[in-house]
Amino acid sequence: MQRRTFALALPALALAACGRPSNVGPDGLPPPQIYDITPEVEAGIPFRFLDGLNTLRQAAGAGAVQLDAALNAAAATHSRDMALQNRPWHFGSDGSSPLDRLNRVGYSGGLVGEAISESYETELETLAAWAEAPETREVLLSPRATRIGLAWFQEPSGKLWWTLVLGN
């Protein structure tokens, strides 16, 4: 009797071992790693991003940029709005453009460009992804840019909505 139980259990164990590994999600991809933005982490994000961006700009021969409170406010509004719309795009739920958002926060300079992202990535991973894409790399390294605004909105699931606004 024990042999029969063992003989029946062995194929069942073999089939169980063939199941999907625990580190794969329902889409067949690894589940996202959650970047938990705590208050302690949050304070350093803009400065880590700024240092990374200015390093890229220096290597490309472009001047350094500085954080700007008005641009941060425009970026924050858009990050939250993208989350509410559940789609990454450059237009607000009210039809506003990046330029409209700069006008609303009273920014007196010009718009150089905007980069957006829907991800679970850190600020530096997001910067690296933007730097790899030719369209956003051109904006990041624009010699016209002198100011930036960076903001994010994190959903309870951990998903992040990043917005970077570059101005002059």
Side-chain angles (χ1 to χ4, degrees), residues 66-103:
Q66 297 177 354
L67 288 168
D68 184 281
L71 294 178
N72 285 342
T77 298
H78 193 54
S79 289
R80 180 174 292 277
D81 192 43
M82 285 191 299
L84 291 172
Q85 296 179 72
N86 196 33
R87 63 177 169 181
W89 73 325
H90 293 283
F91 295 95
S93 56
D94 61 357
S96 62
S97 70
L99 189 55
D100 293 330
R101 291 188 290 277
L102 294 191
N103 289 332

Side-chain angles (χ1 to χ4, degrees), residues 87-125:
R87 63 177 169 181
W89 73 325
H90 293 283
F91 295 95
S93 56
D94 61 357
S96 62
S97 70
L99 189 55
D100 293 330
R101 291 188 290 277
L102 294 191
N103 289 332
R104 288 179 185 167
V105 297
Y107 184 70
S108 59
L111 174 68
V112 173
E114 181 180 74
I116 57 173
S117 177
E118 167 193 16
S119 73
Y120 290 89
E121 298 174 331
T122 69
E123 64 280 3
L124 295 180
E125 291 168 329

Side-chain angles (χ1 to χ4, degrees), residues 2 9 12 14 19-21 44 49 92 100 108 110 119 134 139-140 160 163-165:
Q2 285 181 331
R20 188 173 64 222
F49 185 91
D100 293 330
S108 59
S119 73
V139 172
L140 294 174
L160 287 157
T163 303
L164 171 67
V165 182

